[in-house]
RNA sequence: GCCCCCAUCGUCUAGCGGCCUAGGACAUAGCCCUCUCAAGGCUAAGACAGGGGUUCGAGUCCCCUUGGGGGCACCA
């Protein structure tokens, strides 16, 4: 068993006989595919060349098969043809330092990470900052912080280092130049002096003729030594010689088998005149140098992959396994998730919470907050700021495009790790659903131990100025009671603003609620007299208060609910919140009476 | 224009030819519970894009159409 199939259990295993198995164990992936057992079956009528990669397994037996694969993989080192066959699985996520962590990227990174956790490999974080303009050091921190907060730890990469450092492409230029010059000397690359204008003209001509535009440079056929001499005399861009008449096969773990004719692929530039590498080239050089076994990345890279395969081949490198994850779409949409598309989720309530949490400068207008780059709902920071539990995000994004079985939604991380496999990743885009994420957040909040909830609540209360910096035992106890009183109303920490602000500051009276509940025939009198009853309630605890109210209403032509509502509005200012009795107990007798007096003092 | 890919309730998904009268979850609606708001319980509504094949039998395999996405860079 070889590592390259590690993430792809199931179909092949069940149909492969032993000899075919051995055959494939040491072959390069690209060759291996042609020998895949499926292709040797007698073709069914009308069978197409391509077949789907999203083969499925029944939940039961294949999970065991997966473990078996894993065990053999870790134990055995037989028949190694290249590092790809021998080593443990190595995956990478390679973001550009853009200043924020995009949730689509998190999902992709998560899949990479999960697979390495299951199979005992390494997850590498590499920074693709070849684009000089976008290379701002401070733009990296939000990305690292985002991953740390989510608990997605990288085994190698920025700040942790590793045997293949540096992990910044901007610091690896020499490698790319050396590799490109090697291809030049070997006659696999050539200098191209065509100007942009010439290329554009060619492209337009091709378009007019309804042909696919395929660039083939003048020096394709120039001998290698001459090419080198030309290049040394006058450095320019280097292009890879794309072989003619080839079928390039990408055997993708998620997308299935994808074939592209090399005659449709133009000779790609691999190195600019100034020596900076292009993405396709740098990626291949780095993935090889970092011994990446599984390239798991977003689907939009699928069409780059044939070019990369050619680069691997030209460089004489083994091709890793590819898995192209479908993109994440915007909510209820077929379009890719983008910041622009997520702006609509910056509701007034969200803006209020961000203000309360002092997550934005106080002088910002609502419009400015809604346009904030860093706190857009497409970023991880947004959810962190609003008090979503990171485990809920991980669970949600793990389930977006991947499923454990036919019903499991909420699952511990260990379960996800133990069962994650690429073959159960859907080969179709999935839309992000903020409602379901919020529900998931609530599920995790329910499970959170009380003390952790208190601990999580404190910073939110502090930032909003509802409590001070010092938290003594008394205050802590109060927050504990608040957490208990809020119960399952809390789905995210910032919900505390909605349900309990008034337990930490004076009520802000909602005019409508006040009018409806207090300015009601006889209600002020009830409040006044019930306040006197409350004054003698001991202990001032929820049960005792409730009993007092029941007794008070007994035999009177007033409904308990009505007095209760008036009591709520008088003491909290609003119509929503935890049980009134809990609220009063938390406020304490003195404060409760003070608030009732204050409410009664207000003009009708 | 050319190339590649995708398609089950509004959304996330189960489904690898008979177990499907298509299952679960979020959201929605109704009822119950209830001091408000949530939560919870019960119930309802809701999908195989269309058309051809293959097969005794197709959501499942094949083809076409339609719709969607991605790419065709000296961006990543």
């Amino acid at each position: 068993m070889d590592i390259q199939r590690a993430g792809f259990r199931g179909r092949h295993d069940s149909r492969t006989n032993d000899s075919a198995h051995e055959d494939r164990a040491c072959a390069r992936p690209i060759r291996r595919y042609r020998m895949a057992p499926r292709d040797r079956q007698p073709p069914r009528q009308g069978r197409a060349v391509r077949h789907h990669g999203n083969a499925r397994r029944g939940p039961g037996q294949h999970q065991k098969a997966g473990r078996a694969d894993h065990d053999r993989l870790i134990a055995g080192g037989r028949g190694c043809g290249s590092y790809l066959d021998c080593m443990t699985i190595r995956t990478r996520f390679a973001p550009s330092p853009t200043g924020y962590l995009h949730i689509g990227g998190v999902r992709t990174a998560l899949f990479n990470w999960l697979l390495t956790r299951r199979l005992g490999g390494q997850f590498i974080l590499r920074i693709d900052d070849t684009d000089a303009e976008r290379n701002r050091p401070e733009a990296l921190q939000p990305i690292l912080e985002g991953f740390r907060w989510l608990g997605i730890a990288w085994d190698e990469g920025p700040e942790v280092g590793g045997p293949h450092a540096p992990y910044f492409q901007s610091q690896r230029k020499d490698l790319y130049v050396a590799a490109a010059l090697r291809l030049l000397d070997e006659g696999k690359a050539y200098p191209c002096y065509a100007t942009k204008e010439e290329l554009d003209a060619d492209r337009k001509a091709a378009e007019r003729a309804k042909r696919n535009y395929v660039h083939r440079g003048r020096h394709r056929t120039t001998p290698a030594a001459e090419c080198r001499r030309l290049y040394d005399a006058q450095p320019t861009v280097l292009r890879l010689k794309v072989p003619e008449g080839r079928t390039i096969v990408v055997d993708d773990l998620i997308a299935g088998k994808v074939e592209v004719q090399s005659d449709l692929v133009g000779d790609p530039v691999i190195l600019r005149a100034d020596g900076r590498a292009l993405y396709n080239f740098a990626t291949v050089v780095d993935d090889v140098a970092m011994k990446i076994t599984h390239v798991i990345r977003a689907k939009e890279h699928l069409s780059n992959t044939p070019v990369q395969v050619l680069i691997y081949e030209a460089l004489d490198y083994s091709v890793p396994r590819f898995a192209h994850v479908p993109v994440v779409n915007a909510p209820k949409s077929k379009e890719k998730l983008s910041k622009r598309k997520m702006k609509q989720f910056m509701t007034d309530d969200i803006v209020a919470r961000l203000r309360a949490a002092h997550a934005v400068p106080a002088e910002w207008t609502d419009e400015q907050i809604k346009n904030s780059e860093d706190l857009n709902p497409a970023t991880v920071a947004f959810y962190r700021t609003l008090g979503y539990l990171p485990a809920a995000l991980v669970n949600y994004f793990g389930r977006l495009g991947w499923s454990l079985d036919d019903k499991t939604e909420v699952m511990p991380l260990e379960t996800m790790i133990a069962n994650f496999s690429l073959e159960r990743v859907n080969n179709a885009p999935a839309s992000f659903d903020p409602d379901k994420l919020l529900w998931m957040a609530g599920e995790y909040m329910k499970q959170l131990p009380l003390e952790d909830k208190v601990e999580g609540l404190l910073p939110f209360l502090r930032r909003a100025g509802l409590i001070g910096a010092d938290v003594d035992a008394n205050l802590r106890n109060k927050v504990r009671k608040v957490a208990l009183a809020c119960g399952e109303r809390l789905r995210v920490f910032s919900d505390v603003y909605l349900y309990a602000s008034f337990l930490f500051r004076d009520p802000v009276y909602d005019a409508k609620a006040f009018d409806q509940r207090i300015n009601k025939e006889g209600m002020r009198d009830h409040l006044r007299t019930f306040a006197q009853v409350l004054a003698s309630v001991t202990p001032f605890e929820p049960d005792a208060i409730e009993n007092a109210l029941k007794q008070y209403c007994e035999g009177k032509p007033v409904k308990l609910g009505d007095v209760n509502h008036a009591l709520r509005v008088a003491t909290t200012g609003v119509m929503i919140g935890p049980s009134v009795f809990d609220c009063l107990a938390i406020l304490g007798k003195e404060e409760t009476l003070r608030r009732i007096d204050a409410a009664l003092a207000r003009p009708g």
Side-chain angles (χ1 to χ4, degrees), chain A residues 345-363:
Chain A
F345 293 95
M346 276 286 200
T347 59
D348 293 343
D349 169 60
I350 299 288
V351 167
R353 288 180 189 219
L354 294 175
R355 277 195 195 285
H358 286 263
V360 290
E363 67 273 16

Side-chain angles (χ1 to χ4, degrees), chain A residues 514 517-537 548-549 552-553 556 558 562-568 570-571 584 589 592-604:
Chain A
F514 196 91
R517 304 301 189 184
I518 295 178
N519 292 339
K520 203 174 174 182
E521 185 65 43
M523 197 49 76
R524 282 169 179 263
D525 290 335
H526 282 302
L527 277 181
R528 206 167 286 122
T529 43
F530 185 63
Q532 287 164 9
V533 174
L534 280 176
S536 60
V537 170
L549 183 63
Y552 174 80
C553 294
K556 292 194 182 65
V558 65
D562 286 343
V563 182
N564 201 297
H565 289 148
L567 204 49
R568 173 185 294 282
T571 53
L584 298 193
K589 187 186 289 185
T592 297
L593 296 177
R594 193 184 71 81
R595 288 188 180 192
I596 295 174
D597 279 349
L600 289 172
R602 287 171 69 84

Side-chain angles (χ1 to χ4, degrees), chain A residues 331-403:
Chain A
K332 303 187 186 209
S333 134
K334 302 267 186 204
E335 282 175 78
K336 197 173 135 185
L337 183 70
S338 67
K339 284 188 175 182
R340 190 180 50 77
K341 280 248 146 200
M342 292 308 289
K343 254 185 69 175
Q344 53 171 307
F345 293 95
M346 276 286 200
T347 59
D348 293 343
D349 169 60
I350 299 288
V351 167
R353 288 180 189 219
L354 294 175
R355 277 195 195 285
H358 286 263
V360 290
E363 67 273 16
W364 277 18
T365 62
D366 285 5
E367 206 45 38
Q368 277 175 301
I369 294 174
K370 287 179 180 175
N371 288 323
S372 156
E373 285 283 299
D374 300 342
L375 286 175
N376 185 282
T379 69
V380 168
F382 175 84
Y383 301 95
R384 184 180 185 178
T385 306
L386 290 173
Y388 284 68
L389 255 12
L393 285 253
V394 169
N395 194 150
Y396 177 78
F397 287 115
R399 270 284 290 113
L400 192 64
W402 174 83
S403 62

Side-chain angles (χ1 to χ4, degrees), chain A residues 45 86 93 138 205 226 325 357 502:
Chain A
Q45 195 171 355
C86 306
F93 182 66
E138 74 278 8
E226 176 64 12
V325 181
F502 43 74

Side-chain angles (χ1 to χ4, degrees), chain A residues 122-301:
Chain A
Q122 290 93 44
F123 171 63
I124 290 99
L125 195 59
R126 183 177 71 220
I127 307 305
D128 276 15
D129 55 355
T130 51
D131 204 8
E133 304 88 76
R134 275 200 253 179
N135 184 12
R136 297 177 297 137
E138 74 278 8
L140 177 60
Q141 278 313 313
I143 294 171
L144 302 186
E145 275 168 29
F147 278 126
R148 287 206 174 102
W149 177 67
L150 289 167
I152 299 175
W154 53 103
D155 302 299
E156 298 172 25
E159 296 183 4
V160 305
H164 305 286
Y167 292 91
F168 294 83
Q169 289 196 326
S170 57
Q171 297 168 25
R172 300 175 66 84
K173 271 182 71 171
D174 294 352
L175 257 32
Y176 313 138
V177 172
L181 290 179
R182 201 185 102 210
L183 292 184
L184 179 64
D185 287 337
E186 291 174 0
K188 293 169 179 169
Y190 62 89
C192 183
Y193 295 95
T195 64
K196 260 196 174 106
E197 292 70 36
E198 287 170 325
L199 294 174
D200 283 348
D202 286 355
R203 206 187 325 273
K204 284 205 182 96
E207 215 160 288
R208 247 175 281 122
K210 303 193 176 190
R211 273 185 300 111
N212 196 14
Y213 173 65
V214 180
H215 181 76
R216 298 279 182 248
R218 193 171 307 137
H219 290 294
R220 253 181 84 92
T221 50
T222 307
E226 176 64 12
C227 279
R228 179 68 200 234
R229 203 160 44 245
L230 283 167
Y231 181 76
D232 287 341
Q234 192 187 350
T236 182
V237 303
L238 251 26
R239 284 184 192 271
L240 181 78
K241 271 187 212 173
V242 169
E244 292 177 312
R246 272 272 311 278
T247 299
I248 308 162
V249 181
V250 177
D251 176 17
D252 192 279
L253 262 17
I254 294 171
K257 182 175 168 183
V258 178
E259 296 185 346
V260 175
Q261 299 307 313
S262 67
D263 292 343
L264 262 19
V265 177
D267 291 346
V269 173
I270 56 175
L271 202 68
R272 296 180 176 95
D274 62 5
R276 283 148 64 220
L278 270 90
Y279 168 76
N280 277 329
F281 194 64
T283 293
V284 169
V285 171
D286 285 342
D287 283 343
V288 169
M290 295 179 183
K291 296 185 165 37
I292 302 303
T293 61
H294 289 63
V295 174
I296 304 169
R297 64 193 2 166
K299 191 69 148 253
E300 55 239 47
H301 292 286

